[in-house]
Amino acid sequence: MVKIEEKLYQNRYIVDESRPHIHIRSADVCSGSCSAKPCTVCCPAACYTLGEDGGVTLATDGCLECGTCRVICQDNKNIAWDYPRGGYGISYKFG
């Protein structure tokens, strides 16, 4: 049986360094208003990590473009998310 991590490793990512498709609008909202920080737990690609200062850090490399973070952060509306421009983003090997 193949583990999910091994399947995710097979995907290919072309990261748009100059124009990321997702970003946190305000770091202050993450560190102040949001106490639960669900994005750090719910993102299937683990793009969000909790910092020692209570803030959230986002690494767009490896984003699955699923939109989970958008749904999870609906109360604070602190995630700006768009599809990557053509030629960038994820290429799924297993459909």
Side-chain angles (χ1 to χ4, degrees), residues 3 18 22 52-53 56-58 71:
K3 294 181 179 181
S18 64
I22 184 170
E52 292 179 13
D53 62 349
V56 175
T57 304
L58 169 64
V71 174

Side-chain angles (χ1 to χ4, degrees), residues 74-94:
Q74 290 244 332
D75 291 343
N76 292 318
K77 295 181 179 25
N78 200 32
I79 302 293
W81 194 101
D82 290 311
Y83 285 105
R85 61 185 173 147
Y88 293 95
I90 187 168
S91 294
Y92 291 102
K93 182 171 182 173
F94 293 105

